[in-house]
Amino acid sequence: MSEPNTLIQRNLWETPWGYLESFFIGLGIIITGFFLEVFTGQTSSLTLTYPYNIYFLIIYIVLLYVAYKWFSSYQIIRWLTKVPASITSIVLVTTLVMVMGIIPQTTSDNAVINTLGLNRMTTNWAFLLTLFLFLSCLGLITIKRILQFRWSNTGFILNHLGLFMALLSGILGAGDVQRITIDTYEGKPNWIAKDIQNNPVELPFAFYLKDFLIEEYNPKLALVDNTSGSLVHNDGKNLYLITPKQQYNFNEFEVVIDEYLPSSGRVLNKYVSVNEVGSPPSAKLTIKDLVKDTIITGWVSSGSFRSPYESLKISDDYSIVMTIPEAKKFSSDIDILTKEGERISTVLEVNKPFLFNGWKIYQLSYDDRMGKWSNLSVLELVKDPWLPAIYVGIFMMITGALYLFWIGNKITKK
């Protein structure tokens, strides 16, 4: 007697939907997104600003709750709360994020990339719809576990609710992020900033720049081809830091730095130390041609906005030049003036922002042409009111992970 066939053949789209149906739904969403991208072009951005992002958040959460509470018998809702939908949405989002990492998110010369919006994935319809699918799965599963609450589900709820909060806050809060710059000059208060479109933005407080400071590295020496003007490489290196009494070998030339002046001025046939605005660095060099056995002595200077640079010709083919000193550190000593008459003093440095009234204030740049004599400091102000919600979501995920680790450790011991 033959064995009964225990394998049950299931037709496509027969309930419950599995991974194959989930794949087709996800693929259909991505194709729909690309069609929308083709027909709408760069107008596909769905950035919401306050208060519309708040309205959307409330309506979206209410709809998820209503969908699970009263429409959970519908196949689409049942599918969204099952593993195949979750796994498929995670895979699709991850794939699109990988595309975002591979294709530069700037204007492309490739017509296909521009048409499909692959170079602006954060506002791409396909990415947004796929992310919406993932968030809907995440939200419905979280609501399901909350409504069926048990203490053993605490870690699961914290992880999923934290991820839901962090992602949704990041998406909805993108429209409320303010990023502006303000030019501050020494001794002059300013409260008019500029946005990305260079439109003026009046601030409720002013900045007063007391002093702008720059620390610079010593300049460097380089050997230049007199014909092409390009730097000559010497064993893979073409720049050498200027240090008094230091000796370097440039090809067949032996170079000795006899003297270095950080701030100097030209007087007759030499440089002398001066302390004036725009006084460039200079160095006295002794160059020995090891092939011809000749010695040349002379000065080089990087120049500045008020003084021309000076190179030293050491042969018919080569000259030695001094590079412009690079900034090691620059900072702004500022006062923040409020309408109430309060004065807050702080020193801004690169990558060390100062938090004031919800704004993160960064040291951005200065007048490159003036260099260390710049009396201009450019500050950047960034405000993201949704950032605390993102941090709360991340904290919830970490707490949930620690809770699951603790519970798992207790089970293992038992």
Side-chain angles (χ1 to χ4, degrees):
M1 190 166 116
S2 61
E3 292 279 344
N5 187 6
T6 56
L7 295 176
I8 300 175
Q9 186 69 30
R10 195 176 71 84
N11 296 323
L12 187 65
W13 301 112
E14 183 181 333
T15 58
W17 294 344
Y19 286 99
L20 191 58
E21 290 85 357
S22 301
F23 171 77
F24 280 117
I25 293 173
L27 186 61
I29 288 175
I30 290 180
I31 292 174
T32 301
F34 283 138
F35 267 113
L36 289 172
E37 195 67 33
V38 169
F39 289 114
T40 61
Q42 297 189 18
T43 62
S44 61
S45 175
L46 293 179
T47 303
L48 297 175
T49 57
Y50 180 84
Y52 302 106
N53 45 18
I54 298 292
Y55 298 154
F56 178 87
L57 176 64
I58 295 172
I59 294 171
Y60 181 52
I61 293 176
V62 169
L63 287 176
L64 288 177
Y65 176 80
V66 170
Y68 178 77
K69 188 69 175 177
W70 287 284
F71 297 93
S72 58
S73 59
Y74 284 68
Q75 174 57 29
I76 184 69
I77 304 301
R78 289 207 310 271
W79 171 72
L80 287 171
T81 59
K82 299 299 180 182
V83 174
S86 300
I87 297 297
T88 302
S89 61
I90 291 172
V91 170
L92 293 177
V93 170
T94 304
T95 302
L96 293 177
V97 169
M98 291 174 63
V99 172
M100 189 189 309
I102 295 172
I103 299 177
Q105 299 298 293
T106 55
T107 303
S108 175
D109 296 330
N110 190 306
V112 175
I113 291 177
N114 283 329
T115 303
L116 295 180
L118 298 177
N119 57 343
R120 49 179 187 278
M121 289 297 295
T122 54
T123 57
N124 187 292
W125 275 104
F127 180 73
L128 292 175
L129 291 176
T130 307
L131 197 58
F132 179 75
L133 171 65
F134 173 67
L135 285 172
S136 298
C137 293
L138 192 62
L140 287 169
I141 292 170
T142 305
I143 291 172
K144 176 181 178 181
R145 289 298 182 99
I146 292 175
L147 295 179
Q148 300 173 1
F149 180 77
R150 289 180 298 177
W151 285 109
S152 58
N153 286 335
T154 303
F156 182 95
I157 293 173
L158 285 173
N159 273 328
H160 288 66
L161 184 59
L163 180 59
F164 181 80
M165 178 182 288
L167 283 176
L168 200 56
S169 298
I171 295 169
L172 296 180
D176 288 336
V177 176
Q178 291 179 269
R179 191 180 296 271
I180 57 178
T181 59
I182 185 168
D183 296 340
T184 59
Y185 291 88
E186 290 182 359
K188 297 179 182 179
N190 187 18
W191 57 92
I192 305 297
K194 294 178 292 184
D195 61 14
I196 298 176
Q197 287 77 33
N198 215 31
N199 298 317
V201 178
E202 185 173 346
L203 297 172
F205 48 86
F207 290 99
Y208 181 84
L209 179 62
K210 294 185 288 186
D211 196 13
F212 179 71
L213 302 171
I214 293 184
E215 295 180 23
E216 294 180 329
Y217 292 104
N218 284 359
K220 298 175 182 177
L221 290 181
L223 190 67
V224 175
D225 188 298
N226 291 335
T227 303
S228 65
S230 59
L231 299 183
V232 178
H233 286 265
N234 183 35
D235 295 331
K237 188 175 181 181
N238 55 17
L239 297 175
Y240 294 83
L241 188 67
I242 293 179
T243 306
K245 308 306 178 183
Q246 185 69 43
Q247 177 181 313
Y248 297 114
N249 287 331
F250 288 89
N251 293 346
E252 68 269 23
F253 301 99
E254 182 182 271
V255 179
V256 178
I257 302 169
D258 299 320
E259 188 178 357
Y260 171 65
L261 303 175
S263 180
S264 62
R266 183 76 167 174
V267 177
L268 299 178
N269 62 343
K270 66 176 184 178
Y271 281 83
V272 296
S273 182
V274 296
N275 188 19
E276 297 178 357
V277 174
S279 301
S282 62
K284 183 181 180 182
L285 308 177
T286 298
I287 298 96
K288 182 178 181 179
D289 190 326
L290 300 177
V291 176
K292 298 180 180 179
D293 196 23
T294 57
I295 295 178
I296 298 175
T297 301
W299 290 84
V300 292
S301 173
S302 64
S304 67
F305 68 92
R306 61 173 293 181
S307 300
Y309 83 94
E310 184 170 344
S311 61
L312 178 61
K313 186 176 181 181
I314 59 177
S315 71
D316 293 337
D317 298 321
Y318 301 112
S319 296
I320 289 185
V321 297
M322 176 189 288
T323 64
I324 297 174
E326 298 176 4
K328 180 193 302 184
K329 173 184 174 183
F330 54 94
S331 59
S332 299
D333 186 1
I334 63 168
D335 283 343
I336 301 175
L337 313 176
T338 67
K339 292 181 178 179
E340 294 77 21
E342 189 178 6
R343 180 185 289 260
I344 299 97
S345 298
T346 186
V347 176
L348 293 177
E349 297 180 12
V350 177
N351 296 327
K352 294 183 179 179
F354 179 73
L355 188 62
F356 178 75
N357 280 6
W359 292 93
K360 275 190 175 181
I361 307 169
Y362 294 87
Q363 174 67 66
L364 185 61
S365 63
Y366 56 94
D367 188 343
D368 296 331
R369 189 182 69 87
M370 295 289 290
K372 66 180 180 180
W373 302 282
S374 172
N375 64 348
L376 163 68
S377 176
V378 182
L379 310 180
E380 182 181 47
L381 287 77
V382 180
K383 192 173 189 178
D384 187 356
W386 290 74
L387 197 58
I390 297 174
Y391 286 152
V392 170
I394 294 173
F395 177 76
M396 290 173 66
M397 285 190 288
I398 295 173
T399 305
L402 292 175
Y403 179 83
L404 290 173
F405 176 79
W406 177 66
I407 290 295
N409 192 40
K410 285 181 65 176
I411 294 173
T412 302
K413 288 180 178 180
K414 288 181 180 179

